[in-house]
Amino acid sequence: MVEGRRESRSADHLGGEGRVIPVPTAETRTAVTDRAGVIVNYRTGATVVLAGGALDEWLSAVRQGNAPRPVVVTSPGASWGTHETAARLESHGPPPWPWRVAALACVALTLTVRQTGRSEHRFGRLVRLASVGGALPPASAVHARTAVRSVRWAARAIPARVACLEESTAASVLLAVGGRGNAWRHGVAADPIRLHAWICDEHGRPVEEPGHTGDYTPINTANSSGAEPR
């Protein structure tokens, strides 16, 4: 699942006997919280949450070296899926016109990539696109903030669904066009398990995000190697 207005993504929970535990591969990233294990397939977007006996079996495989060591996700305390947020969004002036024009093109490209190809690999195609700036110098806070605001402005002008993955991907592409990158992050938060994608600045701080985005632990970044989506 994903925060707020962001897209929701279902997760399969494995905890009973006789369930086949997915084997982590080069296409997946793994994480562990206080009570569950999480395996995210970055080709298909499939997310599996392991609990109970399935979690114990998975952790045993990790200790024996038969599964990759997971990222540890620290819970900030049970939220029950709710957060207090400001009733009124902070108002900003429109971004500069050159940024807005470029953002329109980047959002259009992101949506085209999402819709072109096999539907089961949409998630993987966007993750790959979001990683185009992985080798570029990190974006400053000013550049990252302007990119995100420009993409959000462009998204309002396009009659299509733009959730956190599409938004962060388009912003990452926009930064890459300007020679900056390594800004895209995708992570996991606990209590409950939820997923989110965002843009960060050169210091790794989330940009144009609510404060509780800090609850998410990145498990995939722009400079991570990922599976090539088909």
Side-chain angles (χ1 to χ4, degrees):
M1 293 183 291
V2 184
E3 283 290 308
R5 69 178 181 82
R6 317 300 195 180
E7 67 176 359
S8 295
R9 186 170 299 281
S10 60
D12 293 327
H13 290 68
L14 301 186
E17 298 296 330
R19 303 298 299 271
V20 177
I21 300 175
V23 178
T25 67
E27 302 171 359
T28 62
R29 299 290 185 275
T30 62
V32 63
T33 73
D34 293 340
R35 302 178 181 85
V38 183
I39 301 176
V40 181
N41 187 311
Y42 279 95
R43 180 186 294 273
T44 65
T47 301
V48 175
V49 177
L50 305 174
L55 175 61
D56 293 339
E57 184 176 341
W58 180 52
L59 292 177
S60 176
V62 171
R63 288 191 291 269
Q64 295 171 13
N66 298 323
R69 186 168 297 277
V71 174
V72 177
V73 177
T74 303
S75 172
S79 68
W80 312 112
T82 63
H83 289 280
E84 291 185 359
T85 57
R88 182 177 180 180
L89 296 176
E90 186 178 355
S91 177
H92 300 290
W97 268 110
W99 284 85
R100 282 185 270 177
V101 172
L104 281 169
C106 291
V107 172
L109 172 63
T110 298
L111 297 177
T112 299
V113 169
R114 183 184 69 183
Q115 296 303 122
T116 303
R118 299 171 62 178
S119 60
E120 62 267 31
H121 291 157
R122 285 178 180 172
F123 186 84
R125 290 195 297 272
L126 291 182
V127 169
R128 192 68 177 181
L129 182 61
S131 303
V132 294
L136 295 173
S140 68
V142 172
H143 279 90
R145 184 166 55 248
T146 305
V148 172
R149 291 179 182 176
S150 299
V151 164
R152 289 177 179 170
W153 176 89
R156 291 196 296 268
I158 297 177
R161 179 176 178 272
V162 178
C164 69
L165 181 58
E166 291 85 359
E167 180 183 282
S168 60
T169 296
S172 184
V173 173
L174 180 56
L175 287 168
V177 169
R180 298 290 173 177
N182 194 16
W184 184 80
R185 300 288 184 271
H186 188 263
V188 176
D191 292 325
I193 299 294
R194 52 207 193 277
L195 307 176
H196 183 46
W198 69 95
I199 293 294
C200 68
D201 63 15
E202 58 191 333
H203 302 294
R205 297 173 300 205
V207 173
E208 294 293 298
E209 291 283 329
H212 60 260
T213 299
D215 295 348
Y216 290 86
T217 300
I219 62 172
N220 202 353
T221 67
N223 56 17
S224 299
S225 59
E228 183 71 35
R230 297 175 182 173

